[in-house]
């Protein structure tokens, strides 16, 4: 597509404008924030206008869905970077390492081991974020706050994984700010630079607290329920 699609372009400018304002309020540079456009459940035809508008970072939450949608898109837009933002089963580690440039959901030892084996086998080193269960929610994945430092050290030093950041999904019923601040403190304690935090409903707060990666779906692509999402759940 040679022409940029006006709605995609406008939605991107609007979200980037909000990121710039939030960054400015915190005295941060807006270009320190990567906007990951979460295109899960949306068809390639809905994603393409964003690629045509020059956007490069996209997020998916399922390996199989990404494998269906992205190979043809990447043929036309070789600069696109793909982020896995959803839970990853260890038996999909091979496809995940082959497909994604970044994985935001490293949350347990068995997955760390599977990813390390695949990174060595494929000679690839996707950027990794350790997901932390900052709200200690039993139904949510993520490493416990108290185990985060030891887990990060094991991933980096013992397994040689390219862990550079932390990620969290605050409990839906809590104010997100304290969770983002806790994640920032944990990252400092671990010596990590990157923070994947903030979604459509709370990304300005996340940017003010130091997010380097915001994961934004509905503010860019519209409501997933309207797109026929069978599972709007974040897990
Ligand atoms: C779906 C999803 C998002 C984006 O959510 P929106 O509220 O639509 O912006 C971000 N992070 C994760 C892990 C997700 O699954």
């Amino acid at each position: 597509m040679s022409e940029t699609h006006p709605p995609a372009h406008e939605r991107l400018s609007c979200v980037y404008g909000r990121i710039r304002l939030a960054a400015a309020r915190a005295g941060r540079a807006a270009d320190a924030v990567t906007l990951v456009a979460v295109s899960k459940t949306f068809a390639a035809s809905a994603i393409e206008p964003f690629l045509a508008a020059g956007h490069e970072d996209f997020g998916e939450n399922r390996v199989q869905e990404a494998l269906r949608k992205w190979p043809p898109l990447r043929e036309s837009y070789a600069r696109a970077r793909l982020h896995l933002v959803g839970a990853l089963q260890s038996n999909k580690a091979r496809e995940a390492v082959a497909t994604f440039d970044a994985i935001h959901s490293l949350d347990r030892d068995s997955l760390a081991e599977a990813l390390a084996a695949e990174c060595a086998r494929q000679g690839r080193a996707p950027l990794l974020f350790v997901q932390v269960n900052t709200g200690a929610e039993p139904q949510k994945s993520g490493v416990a706050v108290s185990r985060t430092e030891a887990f990060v050290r094991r991933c980096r030093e013992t397994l040689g994984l390219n862990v550079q950041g932390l990620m969290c999904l605050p409990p839906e019923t809590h104010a997100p700010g304290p969770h983002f601040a806790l994640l920032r403190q944990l990252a400092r304690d671990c010596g990590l630079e990157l923070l994947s935090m903030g979604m459509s409903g709370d990304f300005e707060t996340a940017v003010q607290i130091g997010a380097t990666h915001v994961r934004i779906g509905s503010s860019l692509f519209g409501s997933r329920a309207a797109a026929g999402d069978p599972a709007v759940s974040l897990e």
Side-chain angles (χ1 to χ4, degrees):
M1 201 185 266
S2 58
E3 201 189 354
T4 58
H5 191 279
H9 189 267
E10 278 166 28
R11 284 175 186 216
L12 280 165
S13 322
C14 172
V15 169
Y16 272 118
R18 290 169 62 187
I19 289 173
R20 261 197 310 280
L21 278 176
R25 277 198 295 274
R28 300 185 63 210
D31 63 7
V33 183
T34 297
L35 169 55
V36 179
V38 179
S39 50
K40 65 187 186 194
T41 78
F42 288 94
S45 57
I47 300 170
E48 217 244 324
F50 290 84
L51 287 158
H55 196 70
E56 294 181 352
D57 288 276
F58 291 83
E60 292 285 344
N61 70 335
R62 295 199 176 121
V63 176
Q64 295 310 320
E65 181 181 341
L67 287 173
R68 266 201 317 278
K69 288 180 351 194
W70 279 91
L73 287 169
R74 280 178 140 172
E75 236 163 73
S76 313
Y77 299 95
R79 285 162 64 197
R81 282 181 296 268
L82 216 45
H83 299 248
L84 180 65
V85 301
L88 176 57
Q89 294 170 265
S90 299
N91 64 11
K92 300 234 173 73
R94 178 161 301 186
E95 288 155 312
V97 167
T99 306
F100 291 94
D101 301 289
I103 296 172
H104 294 236
S105 50
L106 171 52
D107 61 356
R108 60 195 190 281
D109 288 300
S110 55
L111 178 59
E113 285 155 19
L115 288 174
E118 279 309 317
C119 287
R121 206 182 67 87
Q122 299 183 32
R124 285 177 53 86
L127 174 63
L128 299 176
F129 295 82
V130 166
Q131 182 173 351
V132 183
N133 190 355
T134 57
E137 295 173 281
Q139 82 285 6
K140 198 169 266 176
S141 45
V143 176
V145 168
S146 62
R147 284 201 59 230
T148 302
E149 242 186 292
F151 181 74
V152 167
R153 204 173 317 117
R154 175 164 140 73
C155 287
R156 286 165 64 100
E157 292 170 14
T158 310
L159 298 171
L161 288 169
N162 182 26
V163 172
Q164 292 189 33
L166 301 181
M167 178 272 222
C168 76
L169 279 167
E172 280 167 41
T173 52
H174 290 204
H179 292 270
F180 296 153
L182 172 59
L183 200 71
R184 178 181 59 188
Q185 185 56 50
L186 280 170
R188 279 183 189 149
D189 295 345
C190 295
L192 298 175
E193 304 268 322
L194 303 181
L195 288 169
S196 170
M197 56 190 200
M199 318 197 322
S200 292
D202 56 17
F203 69 88
E204 283 136 318
T205 304
V207 167
Q208 283 186 252
I209 296 173
T212 62
H213 290 67
V214 291
R215 309 176 310 267
I216 298 182
S218 45
S219 289
L220 292 170
F221 294 99
S223 150
R224 284 185 294 278
D229 185 2
V232 181
S233 139
L234 296 179
E235 292 303 307

